[in-house]
Amino acid sequence: MLPELRAGGAVRAARRLLGSLLVSTVDGVEASGVIVETEAYLGRDDPASHAFRGRTPRNEAMFGPPLTLYVYVSYGVHHCSNVVTGEDGEAGAVLVRALDPVSGREVMASRRGRAGDLCSGPGRLSQALGITMRHNRHDLSRSPIRLVARPPVPDAEVGTSGRIGVSRASERPLRFFVKGHPAVKPPRW
């Protein structure tokens, strides 16, 4: 687990999550991947955040406790997985945008209905790991979805940019990624 994510907010957590392992044992089958792309969402101080206008039934999980999962459905189709980073009652989260598959490629491929491009996007990786709304508010220190600390990615290998797919505050450098990794797609401007 990553107890250091409890302090420092979403920006620090988004950077630190790179290189960490996200492990799923949904339906008793393990699938995992190393996090290679993230985006920070800062709550009430961030016009792109789901929590910008305050607490709602949809974003309730984003208000804590930290190191839990905030899952939402994008465009009525794709589940997106976020690591909650704010203190209890304070919104903050990190969207996990891409993974490098480590284990369970077969189950990921079966869930995705394809052999390649398994985890290059927040909806794709959630589908590959079997993450759905039933995992919203799940404690990431225990199964079926766990976050496992690994050595951080060296600074020289980390890129930053504006966020992808948001209409407000997209220019803020709150996207972190492993430079040159094939699962990290360039923005579609």
Side-chain angles (χ1 to χ4, degrees):
M1 195 53 159
L2 296 157
E4 69 269 23
L5 296 184
R6 292 182 185 274
V11 176
R12 180 171 178 246
R15 166 60 183 92
R16 176 57 186 95
L17 281 168
L18 294 178
S20 299
L21 192 66
L22 195 57
V23 181
S24 163
T25 52
V26 171
D27 300 327
V29 181
E30 183 173 298
S32 66
V34 173
I35 298 172
V36 295
E37 183 181 5
T38 61
E39 284 181 349
Y41 288 88
L42 312 179
R44 299 291 308 236
D45 298 326
D46 182 356
S49 172
H50 290 171
F52 181 64
R53 289 191 173 88
R55 193 177 279 207
T56 67
R58 179 185 187 213
N59 70 18
E60 180 72 28
M62 194 176 182
F63 286 82
L67 297 176
T68 56
L69 208 54
Y70 166 45
V71 181
Y72 66 89
V73 179
S74 177
Y75 300 111
V77 178
H78 306 288
H79 290 89
C80 296
S81 301
N82 298 261
V83 177
V84 176
T85 59
E87 289 300 319
D88 227 347
E90 295 178 22
V94 175
L95 174 65
V96 181
R97 289 199 52 86
L99 299 177
D100 182 7
V102 172
S103 69
R105 282 183 173 275
E106 301 78 22
V107 73
M108 288 181 182
S110 174
R111 288 175 177 153
R112 293 268 304 119
R114 61 184 356 196
D117 204 16
L118 299 174
C119 298
S120 62
R124 291 175 181 169
L125 76 87
S126 293
Q127 183 181 21
L129 294 178
I131 298 173
T132 65
M133 287 304 297
R134 75 178 184 258
H135 300 108
N136 192 39
R137 303 190 87 127
H138 175 75
D139 177 349
L140 289 167
S141 69
R142 57 185 182 83
S143 289
I145 311 296
R146 293 181 298 118
L147 185 60
V148 180
R150 292 180 39 150
V153 174
D155 287 340
E157 296 175 28
V158 175
T160 60
S161 76
R163 293 176 292 195
I164 297 173
V166 295
S167 58
R168 289 181 267 157
S170 62
E171 74 288 347
R172 292 183 182 182
L174 298 175
R175 175 178 172 244
F176 299 84
F177 55 91
V178 176
K179 291 178 185 174
H181 194 283
V184 176
K185 304 294 184 191
R188 288 180 240 151
W189 302 108

